[in-house]
Structure formats: C-alpha cells, structure tokens
Amino acid sequence: MDYKNLKYKITNDSDRGLSCGGCGRQNRQLNTYDWLNDVPGNTNDTDLVEVQFKNTRKGYYHNVNGLELRKGDIVAVEANPGHDIGVVTLTGRLVKLQIKKANLKGPDDIKRIYRIAKDSDMDKYREAKSREHATMIESRQIAKGLGLEMKIGDVEYQGDCNKAIFYYIADERVDFRQLIKDLAATFHVRIEMKQIGARQEAGRIGGTGPCGRELCCATWMKNFSSVSTNAARYQDISLNPQKLAGMCAKLKCCLNYEVDNYMEAGKQLPPKDITLQTLDSEYFFFKSDILAGLVSYSTDKRMAANLETITAERAKEIIEMNKRGEKPDSLQDDDGQRANNRPIDLLAGESITRFDRAKKKKKKNKAGGKNKPNAQQTQGKENNPPKQHQEQRPQGNKEGGQGGEQRKNKNRNNDRRGQEQRKNNEDRSQREEKDTGKKA
C-alpha cells in the first residue's frame, strides 16, 4: 500500500479514526464522545438532540419533525423570539444523560428543532456574527460612561439578529437598568444580560493550560466546584500562588481531581509530630511520599541530616516498640538489605581535581623541555674541547649544574638586598637621633 499518497477523508458521521466527531475538542468546545453512535437503534430511542451555539452555550431540543440529523449538521431551532442557528453535537441515548447533568428545571426548557438551516438562514447568521465584536467594544464604552463596575466579556447575537446576549463579570451586584435601555436604543435588538464567573469566562475564551492540554472548562467541565488551598496541603504541594492559579487567575480546578485519593492514602501514614527513637539517636519527621507510602526522617528538626527513608508500616512498628520502651538498632528492617538498597556511586573514591592534575604535569613537562639543550648545541659541545677549569668540576647532570649556579646567584642577590636594607635602617636611626637632639 502506498502510504505516502494515501488520501484521508474527514467525515461527520463517524466517531472513530480521523474524524471531527471523535473524542476531544476538535472544532467544538465541551465535545462529548458518542460511544453509542454505531449501536443499531440508538437514535430511535429518543428524539432529543443536543445543539451547541457559540463557545460553551448548549441547548436541548425535540426533533418533532423526524429529521435525519447527524453530528455536525447545522439546524434552525426555536428561540424567544424568532429562531437561532446551532450545530448538532449529540444524538441518541446519551442526550438523556447530558440533560441530567445540565439540571434543567422542567420540560418547558426543551424546545423544538424547526429545520436544517437554509442558505438564507446562513446569510443572516453570518451577518449577526460579524456584528458581535464591534458591539462588544461599543457596549464596554457605554458601561464605562455610566460608571458601572463591570466587565463585558463577550457578546452573542441570535441567528436571526433579533436578540443579543451580553456576558459580563462583576464582583458585586450591578444595577444595569439604564445600561439595558442605552444598549437597546443603540443596537435596536432585544437585550439579555448574563453574569458569568472567571472560570466560565476562561471556558468561553479557551486556551492551553500549563499541562500542555486544552483547558478543562473549555473541553468537558460544566459544573464548577469550589477549590480551596486545603486541596494543595493534602497533596503536599507548595503554596505558590503563581503555580496554583490557572488561566482564570483562580485556583486550578484540577487540584480537586486527586485530593480524595491523597486523603485516603494519608490516613495510612504515621503522625508527623511523633519522633522515632533508636539506640543511636532520635529521628524527626522530614517529608513523605503519600502515594508510595514512604516516610523520610532526619536527626535534626530543622534541616536534612542523616536522612532515612522507610515505609509507613515500618514507622508504625517502631512507634509501637517505643511505646513498650524498646529501641531498635536502626530504622531499617535489615542492615544488609539497607546497604543493598542504596544507590551505588561509581565515582565515590575519585577526586574532583583528578583531571586538573594531568594538566599540571603537562605544564611541568613543557617547562622542563625549555631547559633541555638542543641537539645542535650538544653536538657543538662534543666537538669543542672542554676548558681546564671545567675538568676540575665533578661530572654530573648538566641541568643540575645550571640549577646550582642559579641558586648561587639568587643567594648573592639576597645578600646584597639584606646589606642595603641594613644601611637604610642605620641611616634612618641616625636621622631620628639628630632630630631628637635638635628638639631637645
């Protein structure tokens, strides 16, 4: 098979392979994986359909006309007033489960689907979407002119341009009655104000989290539970606001994902305020690996000194022994096993400066090579007969003779310097005596 020239086909009716209807975000937020899509009779059990609009807004409708709808179809649905344009994101039995999660108040909230969108409907829809950004900028200026402490984060027009939804964020309650009048007079549409939180705004805008994946609030999370710093404490996470905060400047929702497992595993660990006593010394709690069930103890309360890592079961055994007045030899179960579990350091006996010594030797060899005579000089000395006073000297290493002469010269220079310093000292003493006599 020629894999290089293989052509792929993107479809909307499949939830497997290269499909825009599969698991994950793809092209829609809060996408749901329809794992019952290929089950025969899935769509015949119910006429409920999930339709998604701009960003994370979804609605549930009855397919009263019996239209053959598939995931990705653009439909015109009932709205108040007029109609709206959305995309079908889910059909079949899973829609019932989605309605339970949505917490709809009653059957009146579920409206009906009119038809599959026509060309005239799409033209009107594109016109409405083109007005959203300019409307948001102008509405912010109007709110600022009225002195309202609120932020308009997004504007969504209905598919027939008869209604506009303004999403805003405010810390306190805002009286926006005058704002609604000004917006209706400016844009000539029906105005609806919806207050959202910082997490909902992040979900509508979307983005990538520090984990490298899309934000949970933009892909699958609908209900937001409160997050506190206790979740970070249970998991032994450093209380750094910059790392604990998400894209919405609030605590990350993922802090609650594993907190229950950490709380259950933390119950198996020994108390932190109990010290372990052995024959050698006392050990204080230093740190713990909650999920692995390991506890590290130190001989010093404030710093890591002589760290010993043991299991939670072994720590509880030592605590029971201390209560009976017994003290083990060490924290470990077996000294032999303890030595084998330690990592082997291959460079334990090596010196840090082992490479520097070789360089120093090379320097010494270079210095010694400069003092060695050349081959031409040695040949000249062999041809020339030695002088009489040189015959009286004892034969030895030539380099040693040259070194002796250099030492003698250094000693002579040192003697001269010493004599000069003595003369200077005598002159100074004579001058001081003269000065003292004149003063007297």
Side-chain angles (χ1 to χ4, degrees), residues 54-55 128-144 150-157 164-168 179 183 186-187 191 193 196 201 204-205:
K54 183 180 179 181
N55 294 333
K129 293 302 173 183
S130 63
R131 297 170 56 183
E132 289 179 351
H133 183 70
T135 302
M136 182 182 66
I137 299 301
E138 190 172 354
S139 62
R140 287 179 178 178
Q141 295 176 355
I142 295 173
K144 185 178 181 181
M150 59 183 295
K151 173 190 174 184
I152 299 177
D154 192 13
V155 176
E156 181 181 0
Y157 270 91
I165 304 174
F166 291 81
Y167 297 93
Y168 71 96
L179 176 64
L183 293 177
T186 304
F187 303 112
I191 306 298
M193 304 294 294
I196 59 175
E201 183 188 21
R204 292 185 63 82
I205 297 173

Side-chain angles (χ1 to χ4, degrees), residues 149-152 168-174 176 195-197:
E149 295 182 358
M150 59 183 295
K151 173 190 174 184
I152 299 177
Y168 71 96
I169 301 173
D171 297 333
E172 299 178 356
R173 188 173 180 179
V174 180
F176 45 76
Q195 185 176 3
I196 59 175

Side-chain angles (χ1 to χ4, degrees), residues 223-243:
N223 301 323
F224 300 94
S225 58
S226 61
V227 185
S228 64
T229 55
N230 291 329
R233 291 191 180 95
Y234 286 132
Q235 302 175 59
D236 282 344
I237 301 175
S238 61
L239 300 179
N240 188 350
Q242 295 179 354
K243 293 184 178 180

Side-chain angles (χ1 to χ4, degrees), residues 405 407-418:
E405 292 179 359
R407 292 173 186 171
K408 290 180 181 179
N409 293 330
K410 289 181 181 179
N411 294 331
R412 292 173 184 172
N413 294 330
N414 293 331
D415 295 337
R416 291 176 183 174
R417 291 175 184 174

Side-chain angles (χ1 to χ4, degrees), residues 212-279:
R213 298 177 62 89
E214 286 188 85
L215 298 179
C216 298
C217 53
T219 51
W220 62 271
M221 182 178 288
K222 294 181 180 179
N223 301 323
F224 300 94
S225 58
S226 61
V227 185
S228 64
T229 55
N230 291 329
R233 291 191 180 95
Y234 286 132
Q235 302 175 59
D236 282 344
I237 301 175
S238 61
L239 300 179
N240 188 350
Q242 295 179 354
K243 293 184 178 180
L244 295 180
M247 302 296 290
C248 58
K250 303 290 184 180
L251 291 175
K252 294 178 182 177
C253 297
C254 56
L255 291 174
N256 285 342
Y257 294 170
E258 299 179 353
V259 65
D260 294 335
N261 294 333
Y262 274 89
M263 291 177 66
E264 291 295 330
K267 294 178 182 178
Q268 306 299 327
L269 298 179
K272 298 181 179 179
D273 55 346
I274 296 179
T275 60
L276 305 184
Q277 297 179 357
T278 61
L279 296 177

